[in-house]
Amino acid sequence: MPLKLFCCDECIPERQNHVYIKEEGEDTTQFLPLSNIETIPGSLSERGCSYCGAKLVIGGVIKDCIQMIHGPVGCAYDTWHTKRYPSDNDNFQLKYIWSSDTKEKHIVFGAEKQLKKAIKEAFKEFPEIKRMFVYTTCTTALIGDNPKAVCREIEEELGDVDIFVVECPGFAGVSQSKGHHELNIGWMRDKVGTLEPEITSQYTINVIGDYNIQGDTYVLQKYLDKMGIQVIAHFTGNVTYDQLRCMHRAKLNVVNCARSAGYIANELKRVYDIPRMDVDTWGFEYIKVALRKIGSFFGLEDKAEEVIAEEVAKYEGKLNWYKERLKGKQICIWTGGPRLWHWTKALEDDLGMEVVAMSSKFGHQEDFEKVIARGRVGTIYIDDGNELEFFEVLESIHADLILTGPRVGDLVKKLHIPYINGHAYHNGPYMGFEGAVNMARDMYNAIYSPMWGLAGKDPRVVDSPMWSLAEKDP
Ligand code: 8P8
């Protein structure tokens, strides 16, 4: 039976349809766990809200605009400083957060005036910034504010500013995935094609679905520069608002995170007939394939091989050193969705590791098709996993390391299992050749840290009820 009901889910048996264990001879035409549907009441979800998907994941990365969150101040605070996406303009986008700071009286009497005041105040405080994203949140969407009308008024009044409004309150969908979708479609509808770029190469692309997590974009940009390819826009790592308005002028869309940004690639194909090429930019072998695919599209095969040869000469030896020490180690990947299918085979093929359990917060059916196709027999695949399920998984398998976020990561650390931040990385970048080595180094440091032995000697830990579980794998 490939679907599994955890003991902890006996009171919410519907969870069985979200947990799948791959058996010999099966493929995804036979079984898929349910995904991208509402969280079952009673299951303590790890998901984020739809507003968060728009602001934290995509919009907040853009380096030269004010991010105005129209709602209670907590919506702004909670999506600030939880991701690390640097920029080459001294990290303007990481330093500040803006909010219209709506309170009870605004809920009763309307918050549009408050929004207008906040927007004008923000532009006044940052006179060099002329671009802005405005997001609605649950409260301001529920009371029926019209932020688009407010922003058009301000654009007319100030004359030299450009504002993009994202209407995706937290409740708009079942997870952050809805926020990705809304922002993609909205940007395409309102802003793409409103500015013309300066073209400096006959080979032009957009890199879609890479958010410069700890410098990923810089790594990719370096390879593309060497190949003579002009990136019109990275959607949205280290990018400016105006670069994103020029996306219609690329000859090719190279898509990494298909889950968060496949929508805009599809729209660019539909409206401007720009072809979409999906690649994996994580993984030592995958990045070779990605560069070869891009090279062959433009007839730049030789350039791609030059970049690959140079990078392999620099990093292959280092990767092999870690491979020796990491092969056979068992790991779990519990992140958003796409990293499951980007990473599972890369870690197994590049480093000889074994991925024994995977959990996706918001992956859709196509993500599960990809991950189950690339994943191993016997591996556990979970949609929208909850904390108790994670503990039960850890009782049923042996895990040397877990790639997950800090919330779940801190839980597993209490069981004396190391974790690596699979969302924002420990010491990235993790993309490209050097990224694959960085990731291997972080995993090696986590697994072999002497801290685990010392922690096991702490008498307060021995008294903890968790110790019985941790004792199995000292
Ligand atoms: S890869 Fe894509 Fe991305 S930066 S956007 Fe994945 C991710 Fe994961 S690490 S699907 Fe997306 Fe999240 Fe991030 S929404 S923020 S879960 V965390």
Side-chain angles (χ1 to χ4, degrees):
M1 182 64 187
L3 294 172
K4 179 177 169 63
L5 181 66
F6 286 114
C7 299
C8 63
D9 288 335
E10 268 168 15
C11 53
I12 39 173
E14 305 95 309
R15 280 293 303 157
Q16 172 167 359
N17 297 322
H18 297 261
V19 183
Y20 169 80
I21 300 175
K22 186 169 171 176
E23 287 181 2
E24 200 70 59
E26 276 168 12
D27 63 39
T28 50
T29 59
Q30 293 167 293
F31 294 106
L32 272 179
L34 291 183
S35 57
N36 194 33
I37 57 173
E38 282 176 12
T39 296
I40 299 163
S43 180
L44 189 63
S45 177
E46 288 288 325
R47 284 172 166 174
C49 72
S50 301
Y51 147 74
C52 176
K55 194 275 164 184
L56 177 74
V57 179
I58 305 182
V61 189
I62 301 164
K63 65 184 177 185
D64 66 340
C65 52
I66 290 166
Q67 301 279 331
M68 177 63 70
I69 288 101
H70 185 33
V73 75
C75 301
Y77 185 78
D78 289 341
T79 51
W80 184 38
H81 272 183
T82 53
K83 285 284 284 289
R84 291 179 283 186
Y85 28 65
S87 65
D88 59 10
N89 66 343
D90 202 21
N91 305 312
F92 177 76
Q93 75 288 359
L94 292 179
K95 287 180 186 163
Y96 306 99
I97 191 70
W98 298 264
S99 169
S100 60
D101 189 20
T102 55
K103 300 247 180 4
E104 283 86 343
K105 66 177 178 187
H106 305 116
I107 307 306
V108 176
F109 297 109
E112 288 180 6
K113 280 190 198 140
Q114 178 78 353
L115 175 64
K116 191 168 183 180
K117 187 169 144 255
I119 292 175
K120 289 173 82 168
E121 202 178 301
F123 276 130
K124 201 167 159 222
E125 282 295 318
F126 295 89
E128 73 287 4
I129 301 291
K130 300 290 178 196
R131 302 287 180 259
M132 181 183 283
F133 267 52
V134 172
Y135 303 83
T136 51
T137 56
C138 293
T139 39
T140 52
L142 278 172
I143 60 173
D145 273 3
N146 186 349
K148 280 193 175 158
V150 172
C151 293
R152 293 302 80 86
E153 261 177 51
I154 291 177
E155 280 177 338
E156 275 175 33
E157 211 176 306
L158 299 183
D160 58 351
V161 300
D162 199 300
I163 307 173
F164 174 62
V165 179
V166 189
E167 292 198 90
C168 188
F171 60 74
V174 299
S175 71
Q176 51 266 66
S177 186
K178 181 66 177 173
H180 307 150
H181 184 243
E182 283 298 320
L183 195 147
N184 274 238
I185 300 299
W187 185 263
M188 182 70 197
R189 181 190 59 227
D190 295 351
K191 298 297 174 190
V192 172
T194 58
L195 192 71
E196 290 302 320
E198 189 191 334
I199 301 292
T200 56
S201 163
Q202 56 176 311
Y203 315 112
T204 52
I205 65 171
N206 295 312
V207 178
I208 290 182
D210 133 51
Y211 302 100
N212 203 26
I213 307 299
Q214 286 206 38
D216 281 345
T217 303
Y218 304 150
V219 174
L220 302 180
Q221 183 70 44
K222 187 172 61 181
Y223 303 155
L224 295 163
D225 283 346
K226 284 183 185 166
M227 289 169 70
I229 294 170
Q230 180 187 359
V231 179
I232 302 282
H234 289 267
F235 187 91
T236 53
N238 191 38
V239 81
T240 66
Y241 186 101
D242 283 357
Q243 283 168 342
L244 287 169
R245 294 165 70 193
C246 302
M247 290 179 84
H248 59 297
R249 285 293 173 235
K251 289 184 179 154
L252 174 69
N253 286 317
V254 176
V255 179
N256 178 61
C257 179
R259 178 71 289 122
S260 64
Y263 315 103
I264 197 162
N266 292 348
E267 285 298 286
L268 286 161
K269 167 79 181 136
R270 185 178 66 79
V271 179
Y272 295 102
D273 205 25
I274 306 171
R276 163 178 169 166
M277 176 187 284
D278 284 32
V279 298
D280 300 85
T281 53
W282 287 285
F284 206 82
E285 292 304 316
Y286 278 155
I287 188 68
K288 290 183 194 168
V289 177
L291 293 175
R292 284 183 180 130
K293 277 166 81 172
I294 298 167
S296 70
F297 180 86
F298 289 116
L300 295 171
E301 290 90 342
D302 294 352
K303 295 270 184 199
E305 292 306 327
E306 270 173 38
V307 173
I308 292 168
E310 198 183 317
E311 295 293 317
V312 168
K314 258 195 261 178
Y315 294 109
E316 195 172 40
K318 291 180 182 171
L319 190 82
N320 287 338
W321 191 92
Y322 290 114
K323 183 174 186 171
E324 273 303 300
R325 286 143 185 94
L326 290 174
K327 72 176 171 232
K329 296 292 179 197
Q330 297 195 326
I331 56 173
C332 304
I333 307 174
W334 296 342
T335 54
R339 289 176 196 211
L340 276 56
W341 49 264
H342 282 296
W343 284 352
T344 178
K345 217 166 171 325
L347 295 175
E348 293 186 349
D349 292 354
D350 290 351
L351 296 167
M353 303 177 92
E354 293 173 17
V355 181
V356 290
M358 290 191 263
S359 177
S360 155
K361 290 186 197 184
F362 54 80
H364 295 203
Q365 180 175 328
E366 69 178 63
D367 297 295
F368 276 97
E369 283 171 3
K370 287 182 194 170
V371 67
I372 291 169
R374 285 181 171 185
R376 300 160 64 88
V377 166
T379 292
I380 305 168
Y381 304 83
I382 306 176
D383 167 65
D384 190 16
N386 65 49
E387 194 178 296
L388 295 176
E389 290 170 357
F390 290 143
F391 283 135
E392 202 168 323
V393 166
L394 292 175
E395 281 179 334
S396 68
I397 51 122
H398 169 89
D400 294 296
L401 176 81
I402 297 175
L403 287 155
T404 188
R407 251 192 333 239
V408 179
D410 280 337
L411 284 176
V412 301
K413 272 201 294 198
K414 291 178 186 170
L415 303 178
H416 297 185
I417 301 171
Y419 102 94
I420 288 292
N421 190 330
H423 297 259
Y425 311 159
H426 268 43
N427 298 287
Y430 283 177
M431 280 187 185
F433 298 95
E434 64 193 84
V437 174
N438 290 341
M439 193 172 177
R441 180 208 54 215
D442 284 353
M443 291 193 291
Y444 167 82
N445 285 343
I447 292 171
Y448 287 95
S449 168
M451 286 290 289
W452 301 114
L454 293 171
K457 290 185 171 55
D458 185 338
R460 286 164 302 177
V461 176
V462 177
D463 288 341
S464 146
M466 298 224 177
W467 179 247
S468 60
L469 191 56
E471 221 174 15
K472 287 179 196 163
D473 303 312

